[in-house]
Amino acid sequence: MDQIVTKLESHIASGELSSAIQKMLNFDECSLAEKFSDVTWRTNLLGVVEHVAIHASSDEKMKAELHLALHSFYSLNFNIPDPGAPHPQFSPILIEVADSLESAFLEQLNQKLDVAALENAPADASKFRRWLIELIHSHEAFEHPYYHEFLLEDATKDDLRFFFSQESFLDARFDDALALLQLGTT
């Protein structure tokens, strides 16, 4: 355990958030709570989280750190732990870190939104559906040249093979998430 803590501390000190998160996932909730009660350690960790969150929109390395860290959190939510293995899914510390990173990610997405199109959205529900369909059809991705030109006219067998291999893969855990979303529905 001491070796894991030492590696964790070195990742935090070097600013490697995703590696630190991976190490933290090897702790049980009590061990994480004990480590997090160390004010210096907590301050350092949250400082790295804040640094990544602030710089992820302009720094590709920080963006990758943010995505890798969130991927680790989300993977934890879909893994069934071995009996007796640590599974700190509901650790308040991890939830706080994940929440900070998710908020930063959502803020980045919000900054990229072009809300000008929404100014013309009708308030009437019957008109909104038609307006939304027209908005979707007017977007450049609706009839993207990749699908409507390249795949139809120029793609080789290897191009098609690659396309179908990319389009057919879906993380099986996603099916589980969809099933869980339906619990209690009629």
Side-chain angles (χ1 to χ4, degrees):
M1 183 68 121
D2 289 339
Q3 188 177 19
I4 292 174
V5 170
T6 303
K7 283 185 179 181
L8 174 59
E9 290 172 344
S10 74
H11 289 302
I12 292 170
S14 67
E16 297 174 15
L17 180 62
S18 59
S19 297
I21 297 300
Q22 282 294 323
K23 298 293 180 212
M24 290 172 71
L25 298 181
N26 293 315
F27 286 76
D28 58 47
E29 285 188 49
C30 292
S31 299
L32 277 173
E34 183 180 315
K35 193 65 191 157
F36 218 58
S37 66
D38 177 338
V39 175
T40 303
W41 190 86
R42 176 188 168 101
T43 302
N44 289 342
L45 173 64
L46 294 178
V48 171
V49 169
E50 183 179 5
H51 178 79
V52 168
I54 289 170
H55 293 93
S57 63
S58 60
D59 182 325
E60 289 299 317
K61 183 179 180 206
M62 294 298 108
K63 184 186 291 186
E65 282 294 306
L66 183 140
H67 285 279
L68 288 169
L70 286 175
H71 174 75
S72 296
F73 287 126
Y74 300 148
S75 293
L76 179 68
N77 293 334
F78 286 105
N79 289 333
I80 298 172
D82 293 330
H87 193 71
Q89 177 180 8
F90 301 111
S91 165
I93 299 143
L94 295 181
I95 291 170
E96 180 179 349
V97 171
D99 183 56
S100 295
L101 295 173
E102 286 172 339
S103 295
F105 176 66
L106 291 173
E107 179 57 32
Q108 291 171 27
L109 291 177
N110 286 335
Q111 289 174 5
K112 292 180 182 179
L113 286 177
D114 178 11
V115 295
L118 299 177
E119 293 172 2
N120 299 325
D124 181 288
S126 62
K127 294 178 182 175
F128 180 81
R129 182 179 181 278
R130 170 48 78 208
W131 172 85
L132 182 60
I133 290 171
E134 288 174 6
L135 179 66
I136 291 168
H137 287 201
S138 70
H139 193 274
E140 65 186 54
F142 182 70
E143 290 189 10
H144 197 279
Y146 180 79
Y147 300 102
H148 292 274
E149 294 171 20
F150 176 74
L151 286 177
L152 290 174
E153 299 168 13
D154 301 319
T156 66
K157 284 183 183 179
D158 286 338
D159 293 329
L160 291 172
R161 187 178 296 116
F162 178 76
F163 170 75
F164 286 120
S165 69
Q166 297 300 309
E167 291 292 314
S168 63
F169 179 75
L170 181 64
D171 190 332
R173 298 176 300 182
F174 184 69
D175 291 338
D176 296 338
L178 289 177
L180 288 171
L181 289 171
Q182 298 175 47
L183 292 177
T185 60
T186 57

